[in-house]
C-alpha cells in the first residue's frame, strides 16, 4: 500500500513560491509525523508537486536530498540563480528527479533544461519529459 499526504501549503490566492525556505518545516513536520504514526519506510518517501508545487518540491528535494527517495514534478520552475551561480544543483547528485513539462510552458521548460544540462553529463539520476506543443498541464498518462 501507500499513503498520500498533502500538507495545506498554499491557497488559491497565494503568490508564487519565493525560495526562502520558510515552508520547508511544514513538509518536514508532515514527514516526521508519518514516520512516527505509521510504519512508513523513510527510504520510500517521495515528493510530488504540480506547477508551483513542483517548484516547491524541486527546492525541497535539493534542500534535503537525504530525506527523500525522489522528486516528481509537473511544470516546476527552478530558480535560475540558485543553479547558475551556486552549487545548489549538486545536492541532487544521488536523489532521483522526474520532471515533466511542455515546451510551451514558458520559463519552466527552459529553466529545467538548463538544470538538466548540468545533471545529465555527470550521471545524476534525473529524467525529464518535455511534451512538444504543450504547456504546463496535468499529464495524466505520466
Amino acid at each position: 500500500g501507500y499513503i498520500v499526504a498533502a500538507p495545506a501549503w498554499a491557497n488559491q490566492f497565494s503568490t508564487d513560491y519565493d525560495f526562502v525556505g520558510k515552508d520547508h518545516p511544514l513538509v518536514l513536520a508532515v514527514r516526521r509525523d508519518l514516520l512516527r504514526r505509521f510504519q512508513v519506510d523513510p527510504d520510500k518517501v517521495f515528493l510530488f508537486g504540480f506547477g508551483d508545487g513542483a517548484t516547491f518540491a524541486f527546492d525541497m528535494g535539493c534542500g534535503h536530498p537525504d530525506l527523500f527517495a525522489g522528486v516528481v514534478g509537473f511544470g516546476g520552475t527552478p530558480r535560475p540563480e540558485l543553479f547558475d551561480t551556486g552549487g545548489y544543483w549538486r545536492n541532487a547528485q544521488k536523489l532521483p528527479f522526474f520532471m515533466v513539462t511542455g515546451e510551451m510552458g514558458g520559463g519552466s521548460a527552459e529553466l529545467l533544461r538548463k538544470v538538466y544540462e548540468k545533471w545529465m553529463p555527470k550521471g545524476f539520476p534525473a529524467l525529464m519529459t518535455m511534451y512538444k506543443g504543450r504547456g504546463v498541464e496535468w499529464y495524466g498518462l505520466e
Side-chain angles (χ1 to χ4, degrees):
Y2 59 89
I3 298 172
V4 175
W9 169 65
N11 63 38
Q12 61 187 355
F13 304 108
S14 70
T15 59
D16 292 340
Y17 178 61
D18 56 9
F19 289 90
V20 296
K22 69 182 184 303
D23 301 314
H24 287 208
L26 173 65
V27 173
L28 295 176
V30 170
R31 180 188 177 277
R32 189 170 35 256
D33 187 50
L34 288 172
L35 295 176
R36 287 181 181 167
R37 287 187 194 213
F38 306 101
Q39 292 182 351
V40 174
D41 183 353
D43 293 332
K44 294 183 180 178
V45 177
F46 286 80
L47 288 166
F48 172 78
F50 175 75
D52 227 20
T55 302
F56 176 72
F58 198 98
D59 181 47
M60 185 78 187
C62 286
H64 307 277
D66 57 326
L67 298 179
F68 299 98
V71 177
V72 179
F74 289 4
T77 308
R79 193 169 195 168
E81 56 268 18
L82 291 176
F83 294 93
D84 287 342
T85 57
Y88 199 52
W89 60 273
R90 290 183 181 95
N91 289 357
Q93 185 175 8
K94 298 194 185 317
L95 180 66
F97 273 76
F98 176 54
M99 302 299 279
V100 182
T101 191
E103 70 175 353
M104 310 290 284
S108 172
E110 281 307 311
L111 291 173
L112 279 172
R113 184 182 307 243
K114 285 182 181 180
V115 173
Y116 273 75
E117 285 174 354
K118 290 184 178 184
W119 283 351
M120 298 312 290
K122 293 175 176 42
F124 283 33
L127 178 66
M128 178 174 67
T129 300
M130 188 176 301
Y131 284 90
K132 286 186 168 196
R134 293 174 71 178
V136 174
E137 57 188 81
W138 181 255
Y139 300 98
L141 295 177
E142 294 291 338

